[in-house]
Amino acid sequence: MSRLKTPIAEPLAKAPSLVADAYQALKDAIRDNAFAPGYQGSEQEIALRLGMSRTPVHEALIRLQEEGLVRVLPKRGVTVLALSPDDMREVYDVIIALEGMAAELIASMSPKDRRPIVAALEGINAEMKIALQRDELDVWARADDRFHRTLIDGSGNMRLARLANTIMDQSHRARMMTLRLRAKPTKSLKEHQAIIAAIKSGDSMLSCSEAQSHRRRARSELLPLLDQFGMKHL
């Protein structure tokens, strides 16, 4: 009996890790536009590009379909879903609401509980400042994404986090596609610092307001840009 358990248990232990790796690799490729909106390919082709086997890639695609990033079509392969400017308006409507609530929840915590979250946010904002000074926009964009995910995850509300993290993948893709079409994003640093200061002070209403104002400003900058460059699909 003991001889049978080892070979059976090992594949079972590895399988979830392989699927998780495929999911993260594919998600990152979609978020960073390595698989651009509208891309069509077979599961086998995608697996080859990722350097992975087909089975975990198939399972990862099912998860990504549930999150609205791809569509899996039987016998026709996989399509990376595109977003229209109207889609992006809706995405930002949701993000504005969720991030405002996240900031409010963090500010409502005890000083001891919110201190490590504030420290993390300050550290990321410092990284963003350095990236801008070096004109490393891709580094800035990844740090910006981490700032907002840290804000969301710091709220302690797992349902809020699940909703937000899915839709933030869509906003990140738009961020990456328009990164070099807009002015240097120095305003973000100041607005992030205002969010941090409000949270640090424990003012929940101000924290909510600052977080929402930041995302509203980003929306008002992005949507006209899409129209200006005739970008109908993201």
Side-chain angles (χ1 to χ4, degrees), residues 23-37:
Y23 168 80
Q24 195 59 54
L26 187 50
K27 188 175 186 177
D28 288 344
I30 293 171
R31 279 163 39 88
D32 294 336
N33 296 303
F35 290 115

Side-chain angles (χ1 to χ4, degrees), residues 75-96:
K75 299 182 181 180
R76 293 170 58 190
V78 179
T79 299
V80 176
L81 297 179
L83 297 171
S84 70
D86 284 341
D87 291 330
M88 286 310 304
R89 184 176 289 106
E90 291 183 0
V91 164
Y92 268 92
D93 286 345
V94 176
I95 288 175
I96 288 166

Side-chain angles (χ1 to χ4, degrees), residues 95-194:
I95 288 175
I96 288 166
L98 294 179
E99 287 198 10
M101 177 55 67
E104 180 179 336
L105 288 171
I106 297 170
S108 300
M109 296 176 182
S110 69
K112 179 182 177 182
D113 288 339
R114 65 174 180 264
R115 193 174 297 123
I117 303 168
V118 166
L121 293 171
E122 288 178 330
I124 296 169
N125 214 34
E127 291 178 32
M128 293 174 65
K129 183 177 181 178
I130 293 171
L132 286 185
Q133 290 171 344
R134 295 174 176 172
D135 288 324
E136 296 174 343
L137 292 180
D138 289 335
V139 175
W140 172 89
R142 288 191 292 271
D144 185 53
D145 183 58
R146 281 195 292 118
F147 181 94
H148 289 282
R149 289 182 188 277
T150 299
L151 184 69
I152 288 291
D153 293 341
S155 72
N157 186 318
M158 294 299 101
R159 288 177 174 82
L160 185 153
R162 280 197 295 271
L163 289 170
N165 284 324
T166 295
I167 205 162
M168 285 168 71
D169 290 326
Q170 299 172 339
S171 69
H172 179 75
R173 190 167 67 179
R175 178 196 290 113
M176 297 303 293
M177 290 187 72
T178 60
L179 194 55
R180 289 169 174 81
L181 300 178
R182 45 192 161 131
K184 200 169 182 177
T186 53
K187 291 180 181 177
S188 289
L189 294 175
K190 296 178 181 178
E191 291 169 357
H192 284 184
Q193 198 55 51

Side-chain angles (χ1 to χ4, degrees), residues 196-224:
I196 294 169
I199 291 173
K200 188 185 290 188
S201 72
D203 189 328
S204 58
M205 291 298 100
L206 180 60
S207 298
C208 177
S209 175
E210 295 288 4
Q212 291 185 335
S213 294
H214 171 54
R215 284 303 206 172
R216 286 194 182 98
R217 197 270 307 162
R219 179 182 62 186
S220 68
E221 184 179 87
L222 174 67
L223 295 180

